[in-house]
Amino acid sequence: MTHNKILRCALLAALLIPCLAEAGVYRWKDASGRVHYSDQPPPANVRVEEKAMKGSSIEQDKQPYAVRKASEAFPVVLYTVESCPGCEAGRSYLSARKIPFTEKKITTAEVRDEAAKLLGSKEVSAPFIVIGGKVHKGWLESEWATALDSAGYPAGKAK
């Protein structure tokens, strides 16, 4: 085979592997009790157990590389309270930008103390966001956008 043909075959195989990996696997026993595994359905008179395959044994993260990289270096934590328009706006903004974040609702004394320590005050107000350890008080879209951009999160299109 020529180098070109080998390259074409390798490319075709690489394109087909994900399709094959998504196929179901059937597990069934025959009349003598032997267990069979197949990607083809067994005979009609056999009880079937179908298992869905998940791509490969190594799950792949669905987030873009830039987002994974930024979230490892600068994780985002959103502190919120109930009935808070700014909290809802901040949550919506992060979701629209597809920023992975942890939301901590300030409903217990433990979370309230944690928030007070981060804010450096006994008074706790929400929302506020922590990006890689740096606190940004209040909801101000332009400030959050600048901080997230600086942390390496893709700009995206927030609504």
Side-chain angles (χ1 to χ4, degrees):
M1 269 203 229
T2 67
H3 180 67
N4 244 356
K5 285 183 182 178
I6 293 172
L7 186 59
R8 285 184 195 158
C9 288
L11 180 60
L12 182 60
L15 293 173
L16 289 177
I17 288 173
C19 297
L20 296 173
E22 293 298 321
V25 174
Y26 298 91
R27 179 184 182 273
W28 55 280
K29 289 184 183 179
D30 63 16
S32 62
R34 289 184 305 201
V35 177
H36 298 269
Y37 292 92
S38 173
D39 62 347
Q40 299 297 314
N45 62 346
V46 176
R47 185 171 172 259
V48 179
E49 213 179 292
E50 187 176 357
K51 303 282 185 182
M53 302 297 284
K54 296 205 179 196
S56 72
S57 60
I58 301 172
E59 284 295 314
Q60 295 182 356
D61 199 331
K62 304 284 187 220
Q63 295 176 332
Y65 177 75
V67 173
R68 288 195 319 258
K69 192 84 169 146
S71 65
E72 288 171 8
F74 301 98
V76 175
V77 181
L78 173 65
Y79 286 83
T80 61
V81 293
E82 292 295 321
S83 302
C84 166
C87 299
E88 182 58 40
R91 185 182 306 110
S92 295
Y93 175 76
L94 293 172
S95 296
R97 254 188 88 164
K98 295 183 171 53
I99 304 290
F101 67 96
T102 302
E103 182 174 352
K104 291 196 176 184
K105 295 182 179 182
I106 306 171
T107 56
T108 65
E110 183 181 345
V111 178
R112 184 173 300 284
D113 292 345
E114 178 183 321
K117 185 176 179 182
L118 285 166
L119 292 169
S121 168
K122 289 184 181 182
E123 290 293 317
V124 175
S125 62
F128 72 92
I129 192 170
V130 181
I131 303 171
K134 187 172 181 186
V135 177
H136 301 273
K137 299 177 186 177
W139 161 241
L140 186 58
E141 183 176 336
S142 60
E143 183 183 323
W144 286 23
T146 301
L148 290 164
D149 292 348
S150 296
Y153 287 96
K157 292 183 180 177
K159 295 175 183 173

